[in-house]
Amino acid sequence: MPVTFAATAVLGLLLGAEPEKAPPDPRDFGPGTMDVSGYPEEHQRKYDLLISKCNKCHPAARAVNSHFSSQQWKRYMKKMLRRPNSGINEEQAQRIYEFLKFRAEKEGLG
Ligand code: HEC
């Protein structure tokens, strides 16, 4: 029931417990992982961080199935970090961004 859901979300925010869940998106239902075995090891570790950190409010699949340029990723990363209780610190955000930038360049998106 929407009202109960909203009340729970607000309570959660007030208590600092759980971040607000993102409404479902088609990308959430695509593959939740990608094959990074051909990536340099440092980027494989950053990918692991993305999978473990970007799944709080929506499945990490939303990020895996989004294909943006480095500039766009920079903007989206800031947007995600501004949300309450993201559970992601600046250093982690930087590493995740470096992975997304590497992937964008590999995909020819710049
Ligand atoms: C605190 C909650 C939260 C966390 C943590 C979070 N997101 Fe999100 N994300 C959202 C919400 C809410 C939306 C939908 C609204 C929007 O686009 O801002 C969203 C949408 C997105 C979208 C779709 C943007 C678009 O408009 O096409 C991408 C891509 C995304 N997130 C990537 C990430 C990545 C990468 C991470 C990890 C660094 C992450 N998210 C972590 C809350 C979060």
Side-chain angles (χ1 to χ4, degrees):
M1 191 163 127
V3 174
T4 313
F5 175 76
T8 310
V10 169
L11 188 66
L13 287 177
L14 290 175
L15 297 175
E18 283 298 314
E20 192 181 351
K21 295 283 180 219
D25 179 284
R27 285 166 287 185
D28 299 351
F29 306 100
T33 56
M34 57 180 276
D35 180 12
V36 292
S37 56
Y39 280 51
E41 213 182 303
E42 56 164 319
H43 286 296
Q44 293 187 23
R45 285 198 301 269
K46 291 169 188 170
Y47 164 79
D48 291 342
L49 192 61
L50 179 148
I51 295 298
S52 70
K53 287 288 175 183
C54 302
N55 68 354
K56 276 210 164 67
C57 314
H58 46 66
R62 186 158 329 180
V64 169
N65 298 308
S66 294
H67 301 277
F68 298 128
S69 69
S70 305
Q71 272 312 311
Q72 287 170 315
W73 274 121
K74 188 170 256 178
R75 266 208 309 278
Y76 279 117
M77 288 299 297
K78 285 191 182 136
K79 201 173 167 188
M80 296 304 126
L81 282 194
R82 273 201 303 268
R83 296 185 176 280
N85 305 318
S86 72
I88 305 170
N89 68 31
E90 288 288 336
E91 190 262 335
Q92 292 161 338
Q94 176 61 31
R95 286 161 49 81
I96 293 168
Y97 168 69
E98 283 164 12
F99 167 79
L100 290 166
K101 181 177 184 321
F102 184 83
R103 187 181 76 156
E105 284 166 1
K106 215 175 153 64
E107 290 176 331
L109 299 172

